[in-house]
Amino acid sequence: MLVFLIHIRDPQFYAIPAKTRAKNGNIRIMGFPPIGIMSLSAVLKRAGHECVMFDQANPETPNAVITAEIQRKQPALVGFSFLSTTSYPYAKILARDIRAANRTVKLAFGGVFASLNAPLVKQQCPEVDFVCRGDGEELILDLLEHLDDPAGVEGVTWAKDGEVVSNPNRKMERNLDQWPFPDRESLKLDFVESMPLDVPCVLSLERFTTMQTSRGCPWSCVFCDIPVFNEGKWRSRTPQHVVDEFKHLQEQGYGAVYFVDDHFLLQPKRIEAICKGLNDQNITIEWGCEGRVDSVAQHLFPAMAKAHCRTLMFGIESGSQKMLDRLNKEQTLAEVETAVTNAKKAGIEIVHGFFVVGSPDETIADMKATFDFAAKLPLDTFGFNRLCVYRGTPLWHEYVKRGLVNDGADWYKYFKCSTIDPTCLPGEVIHAERSAGLRRVFIYKFLHYPVQTLRLLRRFLRHMPVRDVVYLIIKPFLGKKKGPTNAEVLSRAVEHGAMKEAAAQMTQVSDETLEHILRESQAERLRIRQETEASRDVTPIR
Ligand code: B12
Ligand code: SF4
């Protein structure tokens, strides 16, 4: 059977670099590759199906091209894969476009957001036949066998006689080694590795991809829905299987890999075996991963550095123990300091800290403590995001109980906590404190960690114009532009009063608004690109 898989993108989270094409002729995208659909494509092909992948980041395959291809090739199933609340509107727009052009093609949604909100998504987006929950490997094969009667396909939410039906959950698969390596080569795009900073910071021009060596996390931070998605379990591939994939990637010419694992640092023996395997096989790919600061695998940081682990990212969240406890992080400030120091001492080149601001019960003093703590830690890079609340998380449940959100009406909305929770500091205060805090962090870093900071800037300067690096440094001192980000504007667009009345009408009414905003956003992106291209020597997109 022929299957189309589409990775839906939120335009905020990728960019097209000025040097548009790689040496092999592929368009280059600064961002993460769509490993979800790549994983499914490999499984489908091994089972004898045909699969064509599309990525909304590809400027050569806009929605109109995807829709025309569906008309031309009439696939048995079109699967949409998207990660989160902010990409859901884009999935709805495309589903509606395709359904308008083709009344019979079967459409399926999958990914974390769709999984956690399946019946609501099915109700709000009736154009979609199946909302697929959880892991997709077995599910998609099963679904293809039963497209006309999915009653027995576990993990699928669908509609029977106008009623939304949620089939039972699929048993969580523990043997992850059984799946083939993701099908990275069929999608003719190359990806550029960058840091999650506002100015896309190119880390290397090596061929870049992502890998998933484990799934899930057993902790329960209040803002995170990973434990819900994975039923609180952590599952992993064997070290041998991971090393084999590295070998395969090295043969394919990849030079940089980032693990999309939720907590890579969980099992010391496994990490040790992976590092040993990488060294034994002479793997020179540089890699990065994320983990908790209370990991008991810290004695392995030197081994990881030796096995070319270049980037290590920690979810630090706050410099106030009170806030860490409020967020149920189950970690201490001392553990943060130890982990970051150990990672740097071990020779990990880039150690990153994820922080959140604008949390419930956070005071100005807590915020100040966070920035001062971040400044003093030997971190190379850091990000301070405003805390958002997503349906399914413990914080969402708390907000439902406190009457701050309505589970039935607000489930698809993107909320910064500070816009709905009176125990958060007001948005303007958070903004002012963050700007001041960032300035303090930058100054402290330059004065106290000059060598570390200059080394990092040198890495950025290898691949980025001086102008962009200078902007990165002076940005906190310039003050930030006012108003919401594109994603917020878009998410707000689906909240108009009329849409709250009936779920069935939501897509129709909102899509017009969404399409309008999408067109505006595309025009704006095109304008920015043209301006950038005009100032650089680039190969334009055809
Ligand atoms: C990598 C990542 C990113 C990357 C994006 C990479 C990309 N290609 O677009 C970056 C850093 C840009 C990012 C940004 C954001 N992210 Co993010 N991200 C992740 C992360 C860590 C891994 C995703 C991944 O690659 N998984 C590996 C692949 C193999 O799994 P998968 O995509 O889920 O696919 C499997 C199944 O879901 C299923 N499946 C998927 N699609 C389909 C389709 C069909 C038809 C079928 C049958 C099955 C199926 O089958 C696949 C194989 O089993 C997840 C956490 C997680 N564990 O999922 C968070 C996560 C998805 N992100 C999250 C969030 C909140 C965001 C942001 C909104 C953060 C922000 N405020 O800025 C943005 C929004 C991004 C967007 N809308 O595009 C939340 C989502 C919560 C929610 N309910 O919305 C998550 C769950 C993290 C968390 N701790 O809560 N993210
Ligand atoms: S440790 Fe990380 S992945 Fe685990 S629940 Fe907390 S935020 Fe989520």
Side-chain angles (χ1 to χ4, degrees):
M1 288 174 134
L2 173 63
V3 179
F4 276 19
L5 292 176
I6 310 166
H7 182 68
I8 303 292
R9 292 270 184 180
D10 178 337
Q12 267 204 116
F13 294 100
Y14 71 89
I16 298 177
K19 192 168 172 296
T20 312
R21 282 181 195 278
K23 281 194 192 117
N24 60 10
N26 286 352
I27 291 211
R28 294 154 80 240
I29 305 293
M30 201 182 285
F32 281 17
I35 194 171
I37 59 169
M38 289 169 163
S39 306
L40 299 182
S41 171
V43 170
L44 287 166
K45 286 183 177 171
R46 190 173 71 177
H49 297 290
E50 265 184 87
C51 180
V52 181
M53 290 182 280
F54 296 91
D55 185 335
Q56 279 196 324
N58 185 352
E60 291 188 333
T61 56
N63 284 0
V65 169
I66 299 175
T67 309
E69 276 302 286
I70 290 170
Q71 291 302 79
R72 203 166 67 84
K73 294 214 173 140
Q74 300 288 329
L77 178 71
V78 179
F80 295 60
S81 178
F82 55 100
L83 294 180
S84 90
T85 315
T86 57
S87 36
Y88 174 51
Y90 298 92
K92 282 200 288 187
I93 290 169
L94 182 56
R96 196 193 120 188
D97 278 1
I98 295 173
R99 182 55 78 224
N102 186 324
R103 293 168 63 89
T104 54
V105 64
K106 300 283 188 198
L107 305 181
F109 276 4
V112 178
F113 175 84
S115 296
L116 298 180
N117 300 290
L120 294 158
V121 170
K122 176 68 191 111
Q123 206 179 358
Q124 190 184 78
C125 197
E127 293 85 1
V128 172
D129 300 281
F130 316 111
V131 183
C132 305
R133 311 188 312 266
D135 288 1
E137 286 88 348
E138 271 180 353
L139 189 157
I140 199 161
L141 296 177
D142 195 1
L143 181 61
L144 278 176
E145 302 287 316
H146 302 97
L147 284 175
D148 292 325
D149 181 13
V153 183
E154 291 175 333
V156 168
T157 298
W158 56 298
K160 191 177 179 200
D161 305 326
E163 291 290 312
V164 173
V165 180
S166 276
N167 295 349
N169 284 350
R170 199 159 266 278
K171 191 166 164 279
M172 197 163 266
E173 185 55 63
R174 286 208 159 261
N175 175 10
L176 302 180
D177 284 5
Q178 67 180 299
W179 306 125
F181 302 147
D183 173 17
R184 299 181 172 90
E185 299 306 308
S186 305
L187 190 71
K188 296 295 169 208
L189 293 174
D190 270 28
F191 292 86
V192 177
E193 188 185 19
S194 53
M195 286 295 292
L197 300 171
D198 283 359
V199 175
C201 286
V202 179
L203 280 177
S204 79
L205 290 184
E206 296 287 343
R207 203 163 182 222
F208 168 66
T209 191
T210 50
M211 194 194 275
Q212 194 182 39
T213 83
S214 67
R215 293 181 184 177
C217 171
W219 271 266
S220 52
C221 307
V222 293
F223 51 80
C224 180
D225 51 15
I226 291 302
V228 191
F229 185 60
N230 289 281
E231 299 170 13
K233 298 195 175 74
W234 182 84
R235 303 165 285 157
S236 66
R237 294 166 55 198
T238 59
Q240 187 59 50
H241 203 250
V242 174
V243 173
D244 287 348
E245 188 170 351
F246 263 101
K247 234 170 105 181
H248 168 75
L249 291 176
Q250 189 147 297
E251 281 157 16
Q252 300 279 333
Y254 288 92
V257 166
Y258 191 76
F259 296 165
V260 291
D261 299 26
D262 302 304
H263 183 16
F264 176 73
L265 300 178
L266 192 77
Q267 219 179 56
K269 273 196 178 141
R270 180 175 166 273
I271 299 171
E272 194 170 16
I274 291 175
C275 293
K276 183 173 179 316
L278 293 177
N279 290 331
D280 290 351
Q281 296 291 333
N282 292 321
I283 303 295
T284 53
I285 293 175
E286 290 194 322
W287 50 279
C289 60
E290 289 171 26
R292 286 180 54 93
V293 295
D294 59 358
S295 164
V296 289
Q298 296 184 35
H299 60 291
L300 294 170
F301 288 168
M304 286 167 56
K306 193 170 162 231
H308 302 286
C309 171
R310 189 236 293 130
T311 312
L312 184 46
M313 303 214 179
F314 292 114
I316 297 176
E317 323 304 357
S318 178
S320 147
Q321 188 62 49
K322 178 195 106 191
M323 291 317 301
L324 290 179
D325 297 343
R326 175 68 173 91
L327 299 173
N328 202 27
K329 252 332 256 193
E330 296 187 55
Q331 71 189 26
T332 63
L333 295 175
E335 283 170 331
V336 174
E337 279 187 71
T338 309
V340 175
T341 310
N342 284 345
K344 276 321 287 178
K345 272 195 189 145
I348 309 261
E349 192 183 332
I350 300 175
V351 180
H352 181 86
F354 292 109
F355 293 86
V356 288
V357 291
S359 307
D361 299 324
E362 189 180 47
T363 61
I364 291 180
D366 292 322
M367 267 190 84
K368 283 196 161 70
T370 294
F371 286 96
D372 293 342
F373 186 58
K376 286 177 188 148
L377 291 170
L379 289 168
D380 298 285
T381 52
F382 32 78
F384 298 88
N385 286 321
R386 293 273 284 268
L387 190 71
C388 295
V389 61
Y390 299 101
R391 183 167 181 273
T393 58
L395 190 58
W396 180 270
H397 294 303
E398 180 193 315
Y399 280 7
V400 171
K401 276 200 200 125
R402 289 170 56 197
L404 300 177
V405 289
N406 179 323
D407 200 44
D410 294 330
W411 61 274
Y412 58 95
K413 295 174 192 166
Y414 174 76
F415 290 120
K416 281 177 187 163
C417 295
S418 59
T419 57
I420 51 174
D421 183 347
T423 72
C424 295
L425 291 166
E428 327 69 84
V429 176
I430 297 169
H431 172 66
E433 281 304 319
R434 178 162 70 174
S435 302
L438 270 172
R439 286 194 292 272
R440 285 203 308 282
V441 174
F442 269 60
I443 291 168
Y444 193 97
K445 292 279 171 204
F446 272 109
L447 294 178
H448 293 84
Y449 296 105
V451 177
Q452 190 181 350
T453 310
L454 289 172
R455 224 180 261 150
L456 185 74
L457 291 178
R458 199 179 57 194
R459 178 175 269 278
F460 290 155
L461 281 167
R462 263 185 241 153
H463 316 295
M464 290 169 65
V466 178
R467 193 185 61 179
D468 286 2
V469 178
V470 171
Y471 177 63
L472 179 74
I473 299 165
I474 61 170
K475 200 168 161 243
F477 301 91
L478 294 177
K480 218 176 159 217
K481 70 173 191 268
K482 297 230 165 32
T485 63
N486 284 347
E488 286 167 298
V489 171
L490 202 58
S491 300
R492 296 289 159 210
V494 283
E495 289 170 35
H496 289 176
M499 296 164 205
K500 291 187 177 169
E501 286 162 19
Q505 287 173 6
M506 279 181 195
T507 42
Q508 281 113 55
V509 181
S510 66
D511 284 350
E512 285 166 19
T513 319
L514 289 169
E515 278 169 16
H516 173 69
I517 291 171
L518 190 58
R519 274 196 301 276
E520 280 192 345
S521 154
Q522 278 165 346
E524 179 67 358
R525 288 172 67 77
L526 186 67
R527 188 189 62 73
I528 294 169
R529 246 200 104 221
Q530 280 167 345
E531 269 182 25
T532 317
E533 277 175 4
S535 63
R536 292 179 196 166
D537 180 22
V538 292
T539 322
I541 298 175
R542 276 172 294 165

